[in-house]
Amino acid sequence: MKLLRAYLSDFAALLFPELCPACQASLVAGEHIICSDCRFNLPFTNFHQQPANIVAQQFWGKINIEAAYALYYFHKGGKIQNLMHHFKYKGMHQIGNLLGAIAGAQLAANDIFNTADVIIPVPLHKRRQRERGYNQSACFAHGLAEKLNAVVDEHSLVRTVATKTQTQRSRFARFENMQHVFAVKDPAALEGKHVLLVDDIVTTGSTLEACGAELLKVPGLKLSIAAIAYAV
């Protein structure tokens, strides 16, 4: 029976091969979600080893952060764009958990990130989340939490306004679009905590800046930032 199941599985894989969402190569036995070549050769930033990295610099003089990080570089037309497209728009939410685990393995060895108490994903508006079926930043957060031994909090930070897409907006327009969009529901629950705020892609950083500004109103809160990718 086991031999028959294995045969049927191999036959199904031949007819309907599972493809790597980053490069579209067929996955082979032992590969999960992303092919081995992409898993090791996607454009890692190594920002966890660079305290003054370009993501951190985006927030200097704007909000007070402990550290900032992105796992990959995002190039237009590149493999990370393909990966994120499948993650956000093709229902492949499991990509977020995998990338969170990969990022978490890096951050667990960092003396700042590994002190995070709470991981908070940038919230989607309720209508947008119903349409998509999940919050991609929350998927990433749960993958991170497995490696950092931190708690994921999807309720304390809320989006009160359904903003339009940030694509094609200038930096100033993105900043204006994010004003008065977020709120903290229960500040007392976050007092004195080290919060790791996470998003999928950092471009100008305006969304993370707006979220961070609200979180930093909480007494004693320390803030760090992590994302899947930084848009070059």
Side-chain angles (χ1 to χ4, degrees):
M1 184 61 73
K2 288 184 179 179
L3 184 61
L4 177 60
R5 282 200 296 266
Y7 174 79
L8 291 174
S9 177
D10 289 343
F11 184 69
L14 184 64
L15 292 178
F16 308 104
E18 188 176 359
L19 303 179
C20 172
C23 70
Q24 295 301 295
S26 296
L27 299 183
V28 299
E31 293 183 334
H32 178 59
I33 303 176
I34 300 173
C35 73
S36 298
D37 183 63
C38 285
R39 190 172 292 220
F40 292 104
N41 294 308
L42 287 173
F44 288 99
T45 66
N46 294 314
F47 285 166
H48 61 297
Q49 299 173 341
Q50 305 167 30
N53 65 70
I54 196 167
V55 175
Q57 290 178 33
Q58 290 208 5
F59 302 100
W60 288 356
K62 298 171 185 172
I63 55 174
N64 185 28
I65 62 171
E66 306 298 311
Y69 159 93
L71 177 62
Y72 298 120
Y73 289 108
F74 179 106
H75 297 276
K76 188 173 182 180
K79 290 182 178 180
I80 295 300
Q81 183 174 23
N82 296 338
L83 192 63
M84 297 304 294
H85 179 77
H86 281 79
F87 177 32
K88 294 177 69 171
Y89 305 115
K90 298 292 185 178
M92 294 188 67
H93 58 86
Q94 65 270 33
I95 291 173
N97 294 108
L98 174 60
L99 299 185
I102 293 172
Q106 292 186 353
L107 298 184
N110 182 283
D111 290 338
I112 297 176
F113 287 103
N114 66 15
T115 65
D117 302 299
V118 181
I119 302 177
I120 295 182
V122 169
L124 289 177
H125 191 268
K126 290 180 180 179
R127 185 175 71 241
R128 179 74 60 82
Q129 186 156 338
R130 282 196 301 269
E131 292 171 354
R132 185 169 295 166
Y134 55 91
N135 178 352
Q136 70 275 4
S137 297
C139 297
F140 180 57
H142 283 283
L144 281 167
E146 293 176 11
K147 301 294 184 179
L148 295 178
N149 294 317
V151 176
V152 177
D153 180 349
E154 297 185 52
H155 307 290
S156 291
L157 182 67
V158 296
R159 186 185 291 252
T160 57
V161 178
T163 55
K164 295 181 180 179
T165 179
Q166 296 279 68
T167 306
Q168 306 302 324
R169 290 175 180 264
S170 67
R171 180 181 178 85
F172 180 74
R174 286 171 183 254
F175 177 78
E176 286 286 293
N177 195 43
M178 287 294 106
Q179 295 305 293
H180 314 297
V181 168
F182 302 100
V184 177
K185 289 175 60 177
D186 184 11
L190 297 176
E191 286 188 13
K193 301 291 187 182
H194 180 188
V195 171
L196 179 58
L197 176 66
V198 302
D199 203 359
D200 53 359
I201 302 173
V202 180
T203 48
T204 64
S206 56
T207 301
L208 287 162
E209 181 183 344
C211 290
E214 288 301 314
L215 288 167
L216 287 167
K217 293 177 183 178
V218 176
L221 185 143
K222 295 191 297 182
L223 181 69
S224 292
I225 286 171
I228 295 172
Y230 168 72
V232 177

